[in-house]
Amino acid sequence: MQSIDRAMNVIKVLVSNSSENWLSITELSQECDLPVSSMHRLLKAMSLHGLIQQDGQSKQYGLGNIWLEYGLRMYDKMDYISQIRPELERLMNKVEESVYLSQPIGMESLVIERIDSEKSQIRVYDQLGSRVPMHIGAANKAMLAYMPYNQTKKIVDALLPTQERAAFWDILQETKKKGHGISHSERTEGTCSVAVPILNHFGEVHGAVSIGFVSFNLTDDRLDFLIKNVMETGTRVSAKLGYRGP
């Protein structure tokens, strides 16, 4: 029981800290009132079960990705998807394109819902459970643009070579200014996507809603129509999660 209590204390400490501020073993030892040697053994055991993870460069500790997996299962049980799905279906029916719901998971995003339009003759198809590197795609740009600076910087520095970072930061600034992300032929030639972030009641990035479509014969009016509707959907979904605006 003591080991369980200690492990849960570590989890509570990590949860109470913002995601961009991981903690060193010394800081965890102080917060949990445990010797460094005891904390080292505890963290090693927790790491084996995926409960925590260690950053390779800073050597600091944060929550493991397994919590997202467990969280997604709980969301399903609490009808999380069923709360949002009507908005996704509404969007799909209006734009007649494939609609996606994604969530960030470390250096990648996870596609957790997809609704296809039967009226679209050519579909952009991403499987449920697909993982996408965080620097690729409209949904990921939208999420990165709204994440805390330190969290975004860590991801950008890890995924992009130095010479490409300045231009990418410009894209993220423009994304946040406009309130939506956009991508052209980043994963599949001839396809595009537009996306907006989903924010929870703390104003934190919870995920992203995106529309995938082909670029053939795409007009400015059509693109404006898709952007307008995905932004309206993002606003409604964020409101359902308790977000009340800045």
Side-chain angles (χ1 to χ4, degrees):
M1 288 298 293
Q2 185 183 50
S3 296
I4 295 176
D5 290 340
R6 289 179 173 179
M8 287 306 302
N9 197 22
V10 170
I11 297 301
K12 290 177 182 177
V13 169
L14 291 174
V15 168
S16 67
N17 282 270
S18 56
S19 58
E20 71 272 24
N21 293 328
W22 290 23
L23 298 178
S24 67
I25 189 171
T26 301
E27 292 170 328
L28 282 171
S29 297
Q30 293 172 348
E31 291 281 348
C32 299
D33 195 24
L34 282 176
V36 172
S37 58
S38 299
M39 180 59 67
H40 178 75
R41 291 192 295 271
L42 180 60
L43 292 175
K44 184 176 180 180
M46 293 175 69
S47 180
L48 289 174
H49 291 280
L51 301 178
I52 57 100
Q53 59 182 320
Q54 185 180 33
D55 183 82
Q57 295 181 336
S58 69
K59 303 302 180 184
Q60 292 182 320
Y61 292 88
L63 292 176
N65 290 333
I66 197 170
W67 294 104
L68 178 57
E69 177 184 344
Y70 290 159
L72 289 174
R73 293 179 182 178
M74 286 303 298
Y75 278 140
D76 185 54
K77 291 179 180 179
M78 294 187 297
D79 291 330
Y80 163 71
I81 297 297
S82 68
Q83 290 180 18
I84 297 177
R85 188 176 176 88
E87 293 293 346
L88 301 181
E89 291 178 340
R90 177 180 178 180
L91 176 62
M92 179 273 293
N93 287 324
K94 192 162 189 180
V95 302
E96 298 183 355
E97 302 284 1
S98 296
V99 172
Y100 302 89
L101 178 64
S102 304
Q103 281 195 312
I105 175 171
M107 297 291 163
E108 300 172 311
S109 66
L110 187 69
V111 178
I112 62 173
E113 183 63 295
R114 184 194 75 244
I115 302 179
D116 294 321
S117 171
E118 294 182 357
K119 296 181 180 180
S120 178
Q121 295 181 351
I122 304 175
R123 298 178 186 175
V124 178
Y125 185 81
D126 283 320
Q127 284 188 314
L128 288 179
S130 295
R131 292 173 179 259
V132 183
M134 281 296 291
H135 65 300
I136 296 175
N140 290 348
K141 290 186 181 71
M143 290 189 284
L144 284 174
Y146 281 79
M147 286 178 178
Y149 171 78
N150 288 341
Q151 185 179 2
T152 300
K153 184 177 186 301
K154 178 182 176 182
I155 294 171
V156 171
D157 289 352
L159 297 179
L160 289 171
T162 304
Q163 65 271 21
E164 296 180 13
R165 293 173 191 168
F168 192 77
W169 277 108
D170 288 342
I171 292 173
L172 295 185
Q173 289 177 356
E174 186 70 10
T175 296
K176 189 165 187 178
K177 179 181 177 181
K178 293 183 176 180
H180 68 270
I182 188 166
S183 68
H184 300 281
S185 299
E186 289 193 39
R187 297 187 65 199
T188 305
E189 188 66 30
T191 64
C192 302
S193 63
V194 293
V196 292
I198 297 172
L199 306 177
N200 63 20
H201 62 290
F202 294 117
E204 300 168 334
V205 173
H206 192 83
V209 175
S210 60
I211 304 171
F213 51 98
V214 296
S215 55
F216 178 71
N217 282 343
L218 178 67
T219 64
D220 289 341
D221 286 345
R222 175 63 176 170
L223 181 59
D224 290 342
F225 172 77
L226 296 174
I227 291 171
K228 174 180 179 292
N229 280 280
V230 77
M231 290 183 71
E232 290 176 352
T233 299
T235 298
R236 289 192 296 268
V237 171
S238 292
K240 285 190 174 185
L241 296 183
Y243 181 65
R244 295 295 177 263

